[in-house]
Amino acid sequence: MGQQAHRTARRRRLGAALRHLRETAGVTTAAAAEAIHGDGSKISRIETGRHRVTRLELDALMGLYEVHESRTREWLIALASEERNRSWWRQPGEPLSATFKEMLALESSAASIGTFQAQVVPGLLQTRAYATALINGSDPLPRDAVEFYVDLRMERQAIFRREVPPSYLCILTEGVLHQHVGGPATMAEQLRHMVDASRQSTVTVLVIPYTQTAFAAPGCSFIIFSHPAPLNLDVVAVEALDGTRCLEDDEAVAKYHRALGRLRTSALTAEQSVELIASIARNFEHE
């Protein structure tokens, strides 16, 4: 059957681009299949993002489609390079869904991340105690499963310790800061942690206060992962009760970029946000 694969955002974008290039060049699926020593069904799976493309196959297709422009070649190669990077979270028997693995891959490679959260502190800013209380409060899980997910959440935060960390913008509603997750001591520690994180030059935390009576709430929490050239790929992860959906259609991504921009104008400044977070932390400390 060949190398079946989950249709990641990169693979979907690569497949669509290769189909466009093939059709523009007037090449049939049979001719394309012959160039990579496959069959028509393999080309179909590649073009729908359901089959991994090796570098040799990509070189053959780019030659057949007469793709000579250097920027286009670099972009296609960058999209196809995903499979050469073994994911740090992969381990035997790990219980992660394909969609969540895709989100982790996007998070690991993004140059900038922007998120809006209306209910909880995002995972990249959570303390261990807060994450444990949050996971324990969701669907009942065995202790080892809780520990697995908490450890994973803590490991994800290593992106901020890289030599070149991603820029990170987090916009929260004030209600997130008051929600009792794990009790006053856990909340005080969590909010102090956010204040400390905000001191990093690449991390910005903004709060939409209760006093902001009118702001464009998008109705859900979401994350925008942005990847620079040559990849030039932006993907939005939209959170829902039944899982996370990843969107990469240009029009959909632009809509969420605009939403994040409107939310930013509704929020306090970074300095005011940190002051508010610290103030609420002090209140928890005195409970």
Side-chain angles (χ1 to χ4, degrees):
M1 291 294 293
Q3 292 179 309
Q4 293 292 336
H6 174 63
R7 297 175 67 245
T8 65
R10 284 189 181 193
R11 213 170 287 124
R12 290 190 294 267
R13 183 63 63 92
L14 176 62
L18 289 174
R19 178 177 180 177
H20 173 73
L21 290 168
R22 178 180 62 78
E23 292 176 344
T24 299
V27 175
T28 65
T29 55
E34 184 178 355
I36 62 172
H37 307 291
D39 55 25
S41 66
K42 182 175 182 178
I43 292 298
S44 176
R45 294 195 302 273
I46 288 174
E47 293 182 349
T48 56
R50 297 185 182 278
H51 196 288
R52 299 166 184 165
V53 182
T54 68
R55 178 59 189 274
L56 288 176
E57 291 171 338
L58 181 61
D59 285 343
L61 292 175
M62 289 192 296
L64 181 63
Y65 303 159
E66 298 185 355
V67 181
H68 304 302
E69 204 274 321
S70 60
R71 288 187 179 179
T72 302
R73 292 179 65 88
E74 288 176 3
W75 178 59
L76 294 172
I77 292 168
L79 287 172
S81 68
E82 177 184 22
E83 295 309 319
R84 295 202 297 273
N85 299 321
R86 183 169 176 80
S87 305
W88 58 264
W89 60 86
R90 289 181 183 169
Q91 53 184 286
E94 41 105 64
L96 305 178
S97 68
T99 303
F100 189 69
K101 289 178 185 178
E102 177 176 0
M103 195 195 77
L104 291 177
L106 292 166
E107 183 178 88
S108 296
S109 58
S112 66
I113 302 171
T115 183
F116 168 68
Q117 292 289 333
Q119 295 181 312
V120 299
V121 173
L124 288 176
L125 294 179
Q126 290 177 11
T127 63
R128 177 172 289 274
Y130 183 97
T132 301
L134 201 61
I135 292 171
N136 272 323
S138 61
D139 292 337
L141 294 172
R143 178 178 297 180
D144 59 345
V146 172
E147 291 177 353
F148 169 82
Y149 284 112
V150 172
D151 287 344
L152 176 63
R153 199 161 295 183
M154 297 302 102
E155 289 178 47
R156 287 166 54 197
Q157 298 174 11
I159 63 174
F160 295 130
R161 299 189 290 274
R162 293 177 184 167
E163 186 175 347
V164 182
S167 63
Y168 184 70
L169 169 64
C170 171
I171 302 178
L172 303 163
T173 59
E174 186 177 344
V176 172
L177 308 178
H178 291 279
Q179 185 69 48
H180 284 234
V181 175
T186 296
M187 286 304 302
E189 178 192 35
Q190 175 61 68
L191 299 185
R192 290 295 182 191
H193 176 70
M194 292 171 66
V195 170
D196 291 340
S198 296
R199 295 193 177 103
Q200 301 179 53
S201 61
T202 56
V203 176
T204 302
V205 179
L206 304 180
V207 179
I208 299 176
Y210 286 145
T211 53
Q212 178 60 271
T213 57
F215 68 95
C220 62
S221 297
F222 63 90
I223 312 169
I224 303 176
F225 302 104
S226 296
H227 304 76
L231 199 55
N232 290 326
L233 178 68
D234 280 12
V235 181
V236 179
V238 182
E239 299 176 8
L241 186 61
D242 59 348
T244 300
R245 293 184 299 118
C246 290
L247 311 173
E248 75 271 9
D249 176 76
D250 289 341
E251 185 176 342
V253 170
K255 180 184 296 186
Y256 281 93
H257 270 296
R258 291 192 297 270
L260 194 67
R262 291 192 298 269
L263 290 164
R264 187 167 193 165
T265 62
S266 299
L268 300 172
T269 66
E271 294 77 10
Q272 292 169 332
S273 295
V274 168
E275 290 176 4
L276 178 59
I277 295 170
S279 173
I280 299 172
R282 288 193 294 270
N283 293 337
F284 276 118
E285 289 168 346
H286 289 99
E287 287 191 18

